[in-house]
Amino acid sequence: MQTIKKYSVLVCMVVSVILIVIAASLYPGGSLLDKNSIGFGWSKNYVSNLFAAKAINGLENPGRIWAVIGMAFQSVGYGVFFIHMSKKITSSWANILKYIGIANILFIFLIATPLHDVGTISIVLTLIGLFVITVLMLKSKLHFLKVCCIICLLTFYCFFILFGFGYLAWAIIMQKVYNASAILLVLGLEYFTKSEDFIQIKATAQKLK
């Protein structure tokens, strides 16, 4: 059970990526930029295109089931990660991360269903969770992970800016970048941080009181 618990986040993320890649390889075609394109273009299609029953070109999408299962694994992976981090951080922020983890398991999966708009709440929750962790990391001595946290958040913000201003071609690419950076950051925080890294933060907070 300890082994399963230890590697659960890694397994979920790896399986998720593999299944999403399989789904992409089965995607018939069509994108927002070219409805007649063939196959899934990583620089032309949003990942959400993989969850549709029919591809943008109108053909049945046989990769949908793989994408849905892949998103389910990612949901669990993110959820377990935030719950694990809540146990490492012995401060008032712990409960927030715990609830974000539970909510992510529920909401992230909705992105792959007709309730897509509700599921996008999980993106906001993930961003809040990573922001909280970043603030705590900045008070730690883990300098490399501090930089990784900041870079990850910047990729999120860049995507929202590009998407909001209508630069869809760049937003599509940035979506892959922020997804990849988030997964790598989560794995780094999961396996290269421990409770001791945050003890000093708690001690400092108590002194300030």
Side-chain angles (χ1 to χ4, degrees), residues 41-57:
W42 291 97
S43 62
K44 298 179 180 179
N45 289 87
Y46 286 108
V47 175
S48 57
N49 294 153
L50 298 174
F51 305 129
K54 287 189 176 182
I56 293 178
N57 64 8

mmCIF file with all atom_site columns, all heavy atoms in Angstrom, residues 41-57:
data_model
loop_
_atom_site.group_PDB
_atom_site.id
_atom_site.type_symbol
_atom_site.label_atom_id
_atom_site.label_alt_id
_atom_site.label_comp_id
_atom_site.label_asym_id
_atom_site.label_entity_id
_atom_site.label_seq_id
_atom_site.pdbx_PDB_ins_code
_atom_site.Cartn_x
_atom_site.Cartn_y
_atom_site.Cartn_z
_atom_site.occupancy
_atom_site.B_iso_or_equiv
_atom_site.pdbx_formal_charge
_atom_site.auth_seq_id
_atom_site.auth_comp_id
_atom_site.auth_asym_id
_atom_site.auth_atom_id
_atom_site.pdbx_PDB_model_num
ATOM 1   N N   . GLY A 1 41 ? -3.395  17.913 -34.810 1.00 0.00 ? 41 GLY A N   1
ATOM 2   C CA  . GLY A 1 41 ? -2.180  18.713 -34.846 1.00 0.00 ? 41 GLY A CA  1
ATOM 3   C C   . GLY A 1 41 ? -1.906  19.318 -33.484 1.00 0.00 ? 41 GLY A C   1
ATOM 4   O O   . GLY A 1 41 ? -2.730  20.076 -32.965 1.00 0.00 ? 41 GLY A O   1
ATOM 5   N N   . TRP A 1 42 ? -0.784  19.000 -32.886 1.00 0.00 ? 42 TRP A N   1
ATOM 6   C CA  . TRP A 1 42 ? -0.481  19.491 -31.544 1.00 0.00 ? 42 TRP A CA  1
ATOM 7   C C   . TRP A 1 42 ? -0.349  21.012 -31.522 1.00 0.00 ? 42 TRP A C   1
ATOM 8   O O   . TRP A 1 42 ? -0.503  21.638 -30.469 1.00 0.00 ? 42 TRP A O   1
ATOM 9   C CB  . TRP A 1 42 ? 0.796   18.840 -31.013 1.00 0.00 ? 42 TRP A CB  1
ATOM 10  C CG  . TRP A 1 42 ? 0.606   17.384 -30.743 1.00 0.00 ? 42 TRP A CG  1
ATOM 11  C CD1 . TRP A 1 42 ? 0.921   16.348 -31.563 1.00 0.00 ? 42 TRP A CD1 1
ATOM 12  C CD2 . TRP A 1 42 ? 0.020   16.799 -29.572 1.00 0.00 ? 42 TRP A CD2 1
ATOM 13  N NE1 . TRP A 1 42 ? 0.576   15.151 -30.984 1.00 0.00 ? 42 TRP A NE1 1
ATOM 14  C CE2 . TRP A 1 42 ? 0.023   15.397 -29.756 1.00 0.00 ? 42 TRP A CE2 1
ATOM 15  C CE3 . TRP A 1 42 ? -0.503  17.320 -28.381 1.00 0.00 ? 42 TRP A CE3 1
ATOM 16  C CZ2 . TRP A 1 42 ? -0.481  14.516 -28.815 1.00 0.00 ? 42 TRP A CZ2 1
ATOM 17  C CZ3 . TRP A 1 42 ? -1.001  16.442 -27.429 1.00 0.00 ? 42 TRP A CZ3 1
ATOM 18  C CH2 . TRP A 1 42 ? -0.989  15.059 -27.644 1.00 0.00 ? 42 TRP A CH2 1
ATOM 19  N N   . SER A 1 43 ? -0.068  21.599 -32.681 1.00 0.00 ? 43 SER A N   1
ATOM 20  C CA  . SER A 1 43 ? 0.041   23.052 -32.762 1.00 0.00 ? 43 SER A CA  1
ATOM 21  C C   . SER A 1 43 ? -1.196  23.679 -33.408 1.00 0.00 ? 43 SER A C   1
ATOM 22  O O   . SER A 1 43 ? -1.231  24.885 -33.644 1.00 0.00 ? 43 SER A O   1
ATOM 23  C CB  . SER A 1 43 ? 1.284   23.442 -33.571 1.00 0.00 ? 43 SER A CB  1
ATOM 24  O OG  . SER A 1 43 ? 1.191   22.966 -34.902 1.00 0.00 ? 43 SER A OG  1
ATOM 25  N N   . LYS A 1 44 ? -2.213  22.838 -33.679 1.00 0.00 ? 44 LYS A N   1
ATOM 26  C CA  . LYS A 1 44 ? -3.418  23.335 -34.357 1.00 0.00 ? 44 LYS A CA  1
ATOM 27  C C   . LYS A 1 44 ? -4.720  22.990 -33.633 1.00 0.00 ? 44 LYS A C   1
ATOM 28  O O   . LYS A 1 44 ? -5.741  23.619 -33.865 1.00 0.00 ? 44 LYS A O   1
ATOM 29  C CB  . LYS A 1 44 ? -3.475  22.780 -35.786 1.00 0.00 ? 44 LYS A CB  1
ATOM 30  C CG  . LYS A 1 44 ? -2.310  23.222 -36.664 1.00 0.00 ? 44 LYS A CG  1
ATOM 31  C CD  . LYS A 1 44 ? -2.406  22.620 -38.051 1.00 0.00 ? 44 LYS A CD  1
ATOM 32  C CE  . LYS A 1 44 ? -1.229  23.068 -38.922 1.00 0.00 ? 44 LYS A CE  1
ATOM 33  N NZ  . LYS A 1 44 ? -1.288  22.466 -40.277 1.00 0.00 ? 44 LYS A NZ  1
ATOM 34  N N   . ASN A 1 45 ? -4.667  21.971 -32.777 1.00 0.00 ? 45 ASN A N   1
ATOM 35  C CA  . ASN A 1 45 ? -5.879  21.540 -32.066 1.00 0.00 ? 45 ASN A CA  1
ATOM 36  C C   . ASN A 1 45 ? -5.752  21.740 -30.567 1.00 0.00 ? 45 ASN A C   1
ATOM 37  O O   . ASN A 1 45 ? -4.677  21.537 -29.987 1.00 0.00 ? 45 ASN A O   1
ATOM 38  C CB  . ASN A 1 45 ? -6.161  20.052 -32.317 1.00 0.00 ? 45 ASN A CB  1
ATOM 39  C CG  . ASN A 1 45 ? -6.625  19.764 -33.717 1.00 0.00 ? 45 ASN A CG  1
ATOM 40  O OD1 . ASN A 1 45 ? -5.813  19.554 -34.615 1.00 0.00 ? 45 ASN A OD1 1
ATOM 41  N ND2 . ASN A 1 45 ? -7.931  19.742 -33.918 1.00 0.00 ? 45 ASN A ND2 1
ATOM 42  N N   . TYR A 1 46 ? -6.884  22.114 -29.940 1.00 0.00 ? 46 TYR A N   1
ATOM 43  C CA  . TYR A 1 46 ? -6.935  22.121 -28.476 1.00 0.00 ? 46 TYR A CA  1
ATOM 44  C C   . TYR A 1 46 ? -7.099  20.677 -28.009 1.00 0.00 ? 46 TYR A C   1
ATOM 45  O O   . TYR A 1 46 ? -7.703  19.850 -28.702 1.00 0.00 ? 46 TYR A O   1
ATOM 46  C CB  . TYR A 1 46 ? -8.115  22.951 -27.973 1.00 0.00 ? 46 TYR A CB  1
ATOM 47  C CG  . TYR A 1 46 ? -7.925  24.444 -28.095 1.00 0.00 ? 46 TYR A CG  1
ATOM 48  C CD1 . TYR A 1 46 ? -8.633  25.177 -29.038 1.00 0.00 ? 46 TYR A CD1 1
ATOM 49  C CD2 . TYR A 1 46 ? -7.048  25.120 -27.255 1.00 0.00 ? 46 TYR A CD2 1
ATOM 50  C CE1 . TYR A 1 46 ? -8.468  26.552 -29.143 1.00 0.00 ? 46 TYR A CE1 1
ATOM 51  C CE2 . TYR A 1 46 ? -6.873  26.492 -27.353 1.00 0.00 ? 46 TYR A CE2 1
ATOM 52  C CZ  . TYR A 1 46 ? -7.588  27.202 -28.298 1.00 0.00 ? 46 TYR A CZ  1
ATOM 53  O OH  . TYR A 1 46 ? -7.411  28.554 -28.397 1.00 0.00 ? 46 TYR A OH  1
ATOM 54  N N   . VAL A 1 47 ? -6.592  20.375 -26.831 1.00 0.00 ? 47 VAL A N   1
ATOM 55  C CA  . VAL A 1 47 ? -6.742  19.028 -26.274 1.00 0.00 ? 47 VAL A CA  1
ATOM 56  C C   . VAL A 1 47 ? -8.219  18.684 -26.119 1.00 0.00 ? 47 VAL A C   1
ATOM 57  O O   . VAL A 1 47 ? -8.623  17.530 -26.280 1.00 0.00 ? 47 VAL A O   1
ATOM 58  C CB  . VAL A 1 47 ? -6.024  18.924 -24.906 1.00 0.00 ? 47 VAL A CB  1
ATOM 59  C CG1 . VAL A 1 47 ? -6.285  17.555 -24.274 1.00 0.00 ? 47 VAL A CG1 1
ATOM 60  C CG2 . VAL A 1 47 ? -4.530  19.140 -25.069 1.00 0.00 ? 47 VAL A CG2 1
ATOM 61  N N   . SER A 1 48 ? -9.039  19.678 -25.849 1.00 0.00 ? 48 SER A N   1
ATOM 62  C CA  . SER A 1 48 ? -10.474 19.449 -25.666 1.00 0.00 ? 48 SER A CA  1
ATOM 63  C C   . SER A 1 48 ? -11.142 18.892 -26.920 1.00 0.00 ? 48 SER A C   1
ATOM 64  O O   . SER A 1 48 ? -12.202 18.273 -26.825 1.00 0.00 ? 48 SER A O   1
ATOM 65  C CB  . SER A 1 48 ? -11.174 20.746 -25.253 1.00 0.00 ? 48 SER A CB  1
ATOM 66  O OG  . SER A 1 48 ? -10.955 21.764 -26.210 1.00 0.00 ? 48 SER A OG  1
ATOM 67  N N   . ASN A 1 49 ? -10.521 19.083 -28.093 1.00 0.00 ? 49 ASN A N   1
ATOM 68  C CA  . ASN A 1 49 ? -11.075 18.517 -29.327 1.00 0.00 ? 49 ASN A CA  1
ATOM 69  C C   . ASN A 1 49 ? -11.144 16.993 -29.263 1.00 0.00 ? 49 ASN A C   1
ATOM 70  O O   . ASN A 1 49 ? -11.993 16.372 -29.904 1.00 0.00 ? 49 ASN A O   1
ATOM 71  C CB  . ASN A 1 49 ? -10.229 18.915 -30.540 1.00 0.00 ? 49 ASN A CB  1
ATOM 72  C CG  . ASN A 1 49 ? -10.257 20.401 -30.832 1.00 0.00 ? 49 ASN A CG  1
ATOM 73  O OD1 . ASN A 1 49 ? -9.322  20.940 -31.404 1.00 0.00 ? 49 ASN A OD1 1
ATOM 74  N ND2 . ASN A 1 49 ? -11.327 21.082 -30.437 1.00 0.00 ? 49 ASN A ND2 1
ATOM 75  N N   . LEU A 1 50 ? -10.258 16.404 -28.467 1.00 0.00 ? 50 LEU A N   1
ATOM 76  C CA  . LEU A 1 50 ? -10.195 14.946 -28.370 1.00 0.00 ? 50 LEU A CA  1
ATOM 77  C C   . LEU A 1 50 ? -11.389 14.362 -27.618 1.00 0.00 ? 50 LEU A C   1
ATOM 78  O O   . LEU A 1 50 ? -11.662 13.171 -27.717 1.00 0.00 ? 50 LEU A O   1
ATOM 79  C CB  . LEU A 1 50 ? -8.905  14.516 -27.657 1.00 0.00 ? 50 LEU A CB  1
ATOM 80  C CG  . LEU A 1 50 ? -7.590  14.890 -28.347 1.00 0.00 ? 50 LEU A CG  1
ATOM 81  C CD1 . LEU A 1 50 ? -6.416  14.525 -27.447 1.00 0.00 ? 50 LEU A CD1 1
ATOM 82  C CD2 . LEU A 1 50 ? -7.478  14.196 -29.689 1.00 0.00 ? 50 LEU A CD2 1
ATOM 83  N N   . PHE A 1 51 ? -12.103 15.195 -26.857 1.00 0.00 ? 51 PHE A N   1
ATOM 84  C CA  . PHE A 1 51 ? -13.205 14.701 -26.041 1.00 0.00 ? 51 PHE A CA  1
ATOM 85  C C   . PHE A 1 51 ? -14.550 14.735 -26.755 1.00 0.00 ? 51 PHE A C   1
ATOM 86  O O   . PHE A 1 51 ? -15.558 14.271 -26.211 1.00 0.00 ? 51 PHE A O   1
ATOM 87  C CB  . PHE A 1 51 ? -13.303 15.520 -24.752 1.00 0.00 ? 51 PHE A CB  1
ATOM 88  C CG  . PHE A 1 51 ? -12.020 15.551 -23.976 1.00 0.00 ? 51 PHE A CG  1
ATOM 89  C CD1 . PHE A 1 51 ? -11.476 16.752 -23.559 1.00 0.00 ? 51 PHE A CD1 1
ATOM 90  C CD2 . PHE A 1 51 ? -11.358 14.379 -23.662 1.00 0.00 ? 51 PHE A CD2 1
ATOM 91  C CE1 . PHE A 1 51 ? -10.288 16.787 -22.845 1.00 0.00 ? 51 PHE A CE1 1
ATOM 92  C CE2 . PHE A 1 51 ? -10.175 14.397 -22.957 1.00 0.00 ? 51 PHE A CE2 1
ATOM 93  C CZ  . PHE A 1 51 ? -9.629  15.607 -22.544 1.00 0.00 ? 51 PHE A CZ  1
ATOM 94  N N   . ALA A 1 52 ? -14.584 15.278 -27.951 1.00 0.00 ? 52 ALA A N   1
ATOM 95  C CA  . ALA A 1 52 ? -15.841 15.372 -28.701 1.00 0.00 ? 52 ALA A CA  1
ATOM 96  C C   . ALA A 1 52 ? -16.184 14.035 -29.359 1.00 0.00 ? 52 ALA A C   1
ATOM 97  O O   . ALA A 1 52 ? -15.305 13.301 -29.815 1.00 0.00 ? 52 ALA A O   1
ATOM 98  C CB  . ALA A 1 52 ? -15.735 16.450 -29.766 1.00 0.00 ? 52 ALA A CB  1
ATOM 99  N N   . ALA A 1 53 ? -17.480 13.708 -29.396 1.00 0.00 ? 53 ALA A N   1
ATOM 100 C CA  . ALA A 1 53 ? -17.918 12.464 -30.043 1.00 0.00 ? 53 ALA A CA  1
ATOM 101 C C   . ALA A 1 53 ? -17.616 12.488 -31.533 1.00 0.00 ? 53 ALA A C   1
ATOM 102 O O   . ALA A 1 53 ? -17.308 11.459 -32.142 1.00 0.00 ? 53 ALA A O   1
ATOM 103 C CB  . ALA A 1 53 ? -19.417 12.261 -29.815 1.00 0.00 ? 53 ALA A CB  1
ATOM 104 N N   . LYS A 1 54 ? -17.686 13.680 -32.107 1.00 0.00 ? 54 LYS A N   1
ATOM 105 C CA  . LYS A 1 54 ? -17.346 13.845 -33.518 1.00 0.00 ? 54 LYS A CA  1
ATOM 106 C C   . LYS A 1 54 ? -16.213 14.861 -33.651 1.00 0.00 ? 54 LYS A C   1
ATOM 107 O O   . LYS A 1 54 ? -16.185 15.867 -32.952 1.00 0.00 ? 54 LYS A O   1
ATOM 108 C CB  . LYS A 1 54 ? -18.559 14.315 -34.321 1.00 0.00 ? 54 LYS A CB  1
ATOM 109 C CG  . LYS A 1 54 ? -19.609 13.229 -34.531 1.00 0.00 ? 54 LYS A CG  1
ATOM 110 C CD  . LYS A 1 54 ? -20.669 13.694 -35.522 1.00 0.00 ? 54 LYS A CD  1
ATOM 111 C CE  . LYS A 1 54 ? -21.661 12.568 -35.812 1.00 0.00 ? 54 LYS A CE  1
ATOM 112 N NZ  . LYS A 1 54 ? -22.684 12.981 -36.817 1.00 0.00 ? 54 LYS A NZ  1
ATOM 113 N N   . ALA A 1 55 ? -15.301 14.567 -34.576 1.00 0.00 ? 55 ALA A N   1
ATOM 114 C CA  . ALA A 1 55 ? -14.194 15.482 -34.816 1.00 0.00 ? 55 ALA A CA  1
ATOM 115 C C   . ALA A 1 55 ? -14.718 16.731 -35.519 1.00 0.00 ? 55 ALA A C   1
ATOM 116 O O   . ALA A 1 55 ? -15.853 16.756 -36.011 1.00 0.00 ? 55 ALA A O   1
ATOM 117 C CB  . ALA A 1 55 ? -13.127 14.798 -35.678 1.00 0.00 ? 55 ALA A CB  1
ATOM 118 N N   . ILE A 1 56 ? -13.903 17.762 -35.599 1.00 0.00 ? 56 ILE A N   1
ATOM 119 C CA  . ILE A 1 56 ? -14.319 19.011 -36.233 1.00 0.00 ? 56 ILE A CA  1
ATOM 120 C C   . ILE A 1 56 ? -14.663 18.807 -37.715 1.00 0.00 ? 56 ILE A C   1
ATOM 121 O O   . ILE A 1 56 ? -15.511 19.501 -38.259 1.00 0.00 ? 56 ILE A O   1
ATOM 122 C CB  . ILE A 1 56 ? -13.218 20.080 -36.072 1.00 0.00 ? 56 ILE A CB  1
ATOM 123 C CG1 . ILE A 1 56 ? -13.085 20.449 -34.584 1.00 0.00 ? 56 ILE A CG1 1
ATOM 124 C CG2 . ILE A 1 56 ? -13.536 21.333 -36.891 1.00 0.00 ? 56 ILE A CG2 1
ATOM 125 C CD1 . ILE A 1 56 ? -11.988 21.453 -34.289 1.00 0.00 ? 56 ILE A CD1 1
ATOM 126 N N   . ASN A 1 57 ? -14.029 17.805 -38.354 1.00 0.00 ? 57 ASN A N   1
ATOM 127 C CA  . ASN A 1 57 ? -14.339 17.551 -39.767 1.00 0.00 ? 57 ASN A CA  1
ATOM 128 C C   . ASN A 1 57 ? -15.618 16.753 -39.956 1.00 0.00 ? 57 ASN A C   1
ATOM 129 O O   . ASN A 1 57 ? -15.994 16.405 -41.081 1.00 0.00 ? 57 ASN A O   1
ATOM 130 C CB  . ASN A 1 57 ? -13.170 16.854 -40.460 1.00 0.00 ? 57 ASN A CB  1
ATOM 131 C CG  . ASN A 1 57 ? -12.891 15.466 -39.883 1.00 0.00 ? 57 ASN A CG  1
ATOM 132 O OD1 . ASN A 1 57 ? -13.635 14.946 -39.062 1.00 0.00 ? 57 ASN A OD1 1
ATOM 133 N ND2 . ASN A 1 57 ? -11.795 14.865 -40.324 1.00 0.00 ? 57 ASN A ND2 1
#
